């Protein structure tokens, strides 16, 4: 099998390479830079990303390397006004009921190392300069580290090449959206904080928005904020000392050393296509949005897992090319929804003017304070932010309903005693879950096709999670439910796979 060409070794490209390698698909990963990213842009890793990493046998390593934030504190007018405690809100929903603070540069290095352990080395200082889709394959031009021009043939090209994507430009897809007016800064500092190291802090009111993420027990802290007056016109020469420090100080943060400081503009855009023939876009190449909620990198990683099993299925001859269209159907729909939501939140956070300031200083903290005391609201917010709520009910490859679970849903996570229904999860492949009993012929049919069958003795906990006794839940390799059916027969499974094969 020829290698799938992955342009870009950021978190999206690296995760795609890991997921494809894990399914026996050979890859070639190139990046125009001479080493992994050194800027710790994305700070948070969400529960759904960790669940996808669990399938790579990587989640515990990432969790051990990061810093679990179980609480978010919101400040207004120099006072802590509301705290959202995630720990208990997510405890019954996922093995990872927290927001993991783990800077992107460290994260990327860990992914590169894991890939190397699997025998894949990222080809550095290698740039994709052009390509042609012949219909039968893609012919791509690369400029390699020693300045040579190289032509490669690949069955599929995936552009994981970031917001300025060459692949997207060459495909000529629209990148609809806009750019926010405010200038943002990001600073890596050493600082003393008012609260425990596990707390992230946000100041909503006053002239400047600021978010504070401690990510190391040695007092390393990431600050993200806005620069909103005439200083924003001098972005190139701006230093940390030039930004207004009131908001930072009002949080009780005392900065002793600045290790790194940078400014940036925030865009909100989604590509009009995620697939054109044999070429795909994933991660920032396909969608960019405000850092509100820390969703960008996590969304790219989820794109990668979604695309990887589909490419593997087609390349192994288990599914027809049409399956690849469901990548755009599923992931573009989510990206558009995400951009809209983060846009609304971000526009509110950064809005100027008397009324907006009043709402941010008085109304929002009161609402957040009330929300913090409602289990229902905290659970909803955790589900939203952690991306465990993401589903694909409208996808062309989602089918059926059994209990409250529909085709396209993430399988509800249920813990019974010391075990949970996601374990053993360190494999990527189709699984059939049955809660209750399964017919021997169904079991035999799956065994013949390499589909793992997992039967869980029925208990009330499954009913509470919305699962139906004795129904079939066919899980795709990314652990979303493909088919949910009360018709617990071989025929139901055979029909589903026959449709995928066309
Ligand atoms: C300040 C800031 C804070 C952020 N905070 C968060 C957060 O808290 N949580 C979150 O989830 N996200 C956050 N993000 C967003 C996050 O950083 C991005 O979403 C993420 O880096 C996207 O990963 P990617 O792999 O898709 O693209 P990138 O990380 O941009 O990687 C693209 C790679 O492609 C390579 N490349 C480009 N062109 C070519 C070419 N022609 N040939 C070969 N290689 C090429 C580049 O060298 C690069 O390594 C933040 C972003 C910023 C700027």
């Amino acid at each position: 099998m020829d290698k799938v060409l992955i342009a870009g070794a950021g978190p999206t490209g690296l995760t795609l390479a890991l997921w494809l390698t894990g399914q026996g698909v050979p890859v070639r990963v190139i990046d125009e830079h001479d080493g992994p990213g050194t800027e710790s842009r994305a700070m948070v890793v969400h529960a759904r990303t960790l669940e996808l990493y669990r399938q790579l046998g990587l989640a515990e390593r990432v969790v051990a390397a990061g810093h679990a934030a179980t609480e978010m504190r919101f400040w207004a007018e120099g006072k802590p006004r509301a705290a959202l405690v995630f720990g208990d809100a997510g405890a019954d929903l996922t093995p990872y009921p927290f927001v993991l603070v783990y800077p992107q540069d460290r994260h990327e290095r860990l992914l590169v190392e894991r890939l190397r352990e699997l025998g894949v080395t990222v080809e550095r200082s290698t740039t994709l300069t052009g390509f042609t889709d012949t219909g039968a394959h893609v012919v791509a031009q690369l400029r390699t580290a020693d300045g040579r021009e190289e032509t490669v043939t690949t069955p599929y090209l995936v552009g994981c090449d970031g917001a300025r994507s060459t692949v997207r430009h060459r495909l000529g897809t629209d990148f609809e959206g806009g750019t926010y007016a405010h200038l943002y800064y990001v600073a890596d500092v050493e600082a003393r904080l008012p609260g425990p190291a596990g707390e992230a802090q946000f100041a909503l009111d006053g002239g400047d928005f600021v978010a504070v993420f401690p990510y190391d027990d040695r007092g390393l802290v990431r600050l993200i904020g806005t620069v909103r007056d005439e200083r924003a016109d001098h972005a190139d020469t701006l230093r940390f000392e030039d930004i207004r420090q009131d908001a930072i100080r009002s949080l009780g943060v005392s900065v002793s050393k600045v290790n790194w400081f940078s400014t940036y503009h925030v865009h909100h855009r989604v590509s009009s296509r995620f697939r054109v023939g044999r070429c795909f876009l994933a991660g920032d190449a396909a969608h960019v949005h405000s850092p509100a909620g820390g969703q960008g990198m996590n969304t790219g990683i989820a794109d990668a897992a979604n695309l990887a099993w589909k490419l593997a299925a087609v390349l192994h001859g288990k599914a027809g090319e049409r399956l690849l269209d469901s990548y755009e159907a599923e992931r573009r729909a989510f990206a558009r929804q995400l951009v809209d939501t983060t846009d609304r939140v971000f526009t509110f956070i950064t809005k100027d003017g008397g009324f907006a300031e009043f709402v941010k200083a008085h109304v929002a903290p009161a609402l957040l304070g009330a929300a913090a005391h409602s289990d229902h609201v905290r659970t909803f917010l955790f589900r939203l932010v952690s991306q465990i709520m993401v589903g694909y009910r409208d996808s062309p490859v989602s089918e059926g309903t059994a209990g409250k679970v529909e085709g396209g849903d993430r399988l509800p996570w249920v813990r019974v005693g010391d075990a949970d229904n996601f374990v053993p999860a360190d494999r990527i492949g189709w699984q059939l879950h049955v809660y209750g009993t399964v017919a021997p012929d169904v079991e035999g049919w799956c065994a013949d096709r390499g589909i793992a069958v997992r039967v869980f003795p029925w208990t009330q906990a499954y009913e509470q999670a919305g699962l139906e006794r004795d129904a079939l839940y066919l899980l795709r390799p990314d652990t979303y439910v493909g088919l949910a059916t009360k018709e617990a027969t071989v025929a139901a499974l055979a029909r589903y796979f026959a449709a995928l094969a066309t």
Side-chain angles (χ1 to χ4, degrees):
M1 193 188 293
D2 282 337
K3 292 178 176 175
V4 169
L5 180 61
I6 301 173
T12 306
L14 293 168
T15 306
L16 180 64
L18 285 166
W19 265 71
L20 285 172
T21 305
Q23 294 170 95
V25 174
V27 295
R28 184 164 180 190
V29 193
I30 60 163
D31 198 287
E32 65 182 2
H33 283 152
D34 57 4
T38 51
E39 295 175 353
S40 46
R41 292 178 289 166
M43 285 305 287
V44 295
V45 181
H46 290 305
R48 186 60 191 147
T49 301
L50 291 169
E51 289 175 1
L52 295 171
Y53 279 178
R54 206 183 191 192
Q55 291 181 258
L56 296 171
L58 203 58
E60 304 318 320
R61 233 159 117 175
V62 172
V63 171
H67 201 84
T70 49
E71 190 163 333
M72 296 200 174
R73 195 169 288 275
F74 296 88
W75 294 63
E77 299 188 312
K79 294 195 189 78
R81 301 292 286 275
L84 275 179
V85 182
F86 278 148
D88 29 332
D92 292 332
L93 301 172
T94 171
Y96 309 105
F98 44 80
V99 172
L100 190 78
V101 181
Y102 187 36
Q104 187 170 331
D105 54 338
R106 297 181 183 189
H107 189 162
E108 280 183 31
R109 284 202 299 274
L110 191 142
L111 297 180
V112 169
E113 193 182 307
R114 178 73 188 128
L115 207 48
R116 199 177 302 124
E117 287 165 9
L118 297 175
V120 180
T121 305
V122 176
E123 295 174 49
R124 297 284 173 192
S125 305
T126 302
T127 306
L128 175 83
T129 54
F131 59 88
T132 311
D133 184 345
T134 67
H137 45 248
V138 178
V139 180
Q141 285 78 45
L142 313 183
R143 195 173 45 247
T144 58
D146 55 9
R148 273 185 309 117
E149 300 291 331
E150 186 188 339
T151 299
V152 292
T153 300
T154 176
Y156 297 105
L157 166 66
V158 190
C160 304
D161 47 350
R164 295 200 187 99
S165 169
T166 300
V167 177
R168 193 187 63 242
H169 283 296
R170 297 246 162 192
L171 290 175
T173 68
D174 287 336
F175 204 30
E176 297 146 4
T179 304
Y180 295 104
H182 294 306
L183 184 71
Y184 295 82
Y185 69 83
V186 50
D188 244 6
V189 300
E190 290 170 30
R192 248 197 359 263
L193 300 173
E199 283 180 6
Q201 324 266 342
F202 300 84
L204 289 177
D205 64 325
D208 294 318
F209 156 76
V210 64
V212 179
F213 297 97
Y215 67 89
D216 195 295
D217 291 329
R218 290 163 303 161
L220 293 177
V221 174
R222 163 63 57 81
L223 302 175
I224 297 175
T226 46
V227 185
R228 310 212 291 179
D229 50 25
E230 63 288 348
R231 280 166 294 188
D233 299 334
H234 309 287
D236 293 345
T237 53
L238 210 65
R239 297 165 310 150
F240 182 71
E241 295 69 34
D242 299 325
I243 62 167
R244 209 161 47 212
Q245 306 283 331
D246 319 358
I248 298 169
R249 276 196 292 268
S250 78
L251 288 172
V253 176
S254 141
V255 176
S256 53
K257 188 170 174 223
V258 180
N259 292 327
W260 177 73
F261 174 78
S262 178
T263 56
Y264 60 102
H265 278 286
V266 174
H267 307 270
H268 52 103
R269 297 176 189 277
V270 181
S271 173
S272 55
R273 306 282 305 273
F274 280 23
R275 176 192 183 192
V276 180
R278 291 181 166 270
C279 304
F280 296 84
L281 296 170
D284 275 19
H287 45 74
V288 287
H289 32 83
S290 92
Q295 302 292 317
M297 180 188 71
N298 291 276
T299 305
I301 289 170
D303 289 346
N306 187 296
L307 180 58
W309 75 262
K310 294 171 182 175
L311 286 175
V314 173
L315 286 164
H316 288 312
K318 300 262 172 62
E321 280 267 331
R322 245 166 18 106
L323 175 63
L324 299 176
D325 287 334
S326 70
Y327 167 68
E328 177 174 305
E330 294 178 356
R331 295 307 298 171
R332 187 165 182 276
F334 174 64
R336 282 181 60 93
Q337 189 189 326
L338 179 65
V339 169
D340 285 351
T341 314
T342 50
D343 183 42
R344 277 200 294 274
V345 173
F346 209 49
T347 303
F348 166 71
I349 289 174
T350 55
K351 207 167 177 61
D352 297 317
F355 182 66
E357 293 303 338
F358 172 77
V359 171
K360 283 192 279 178
H362 301 284
V363 181
L367 287 176
L368 279 167
H373 289 106
S374 156
D375 284 349
H376 194 66
V377 176
R378 279 188 305 139
T379 301
F380 171 79
L381 287 175
F382 179 78
R383 287 167 61 85
L384 182 72
V385 168
S386 64
Q387 299 203 354
I388 60 173
M389 217 158 113
V390 175
Y392 310 121
R393 286 187 177 183
D394 294 332
S395 165
V397 294
S398 299
E399 227 183 274
T401 306
K404 292 189 182 128
V405 177
E406 290 189 27
D409 289 353
R410 162 187 169 273
L411 179 76
W413 178 75
V414 189
R415 188 174 37 201
V416 175
D418 288 340
D420 73 62
N421 62 338
F422 279 25
V423 174
D426 55 347
R427 68 184 297 271
I428 303 171
W430 290 90
Q431 302 176 49
L432 181 71
H433 276 213
V434 179
Y435 298 85
T437 50
V438 65
D441 62 331
V442 169
E443 223 167 355
W445 190 88
C446 290
D448 289 348
R449 285 156 185 81
I451 301 167
V453 179
R454 306 214 42 226
V455 183
F456 301 85
W458 180 253
T459 82
Q460 284 300 310
Y462 297 128
E463 187 168 10
Q464 276 157 16
L467 295 157
E468 178 156 325
R469 189 172 192 162
D470 299 341
L472 303 186
Y473 295 98
L474 180 65
L475 302 192
R476 315 176 340 175
D478 58 358
T479 63
Y480 284 90
V481 176
L483 169 71
T485 179
K486 289 183 241 183
E487 185 197 333
T489 63
V490 165
L493 295 174
R495 272 198 310 273
Y496 181 83
F497 280 109
L500 278 194
T502 58

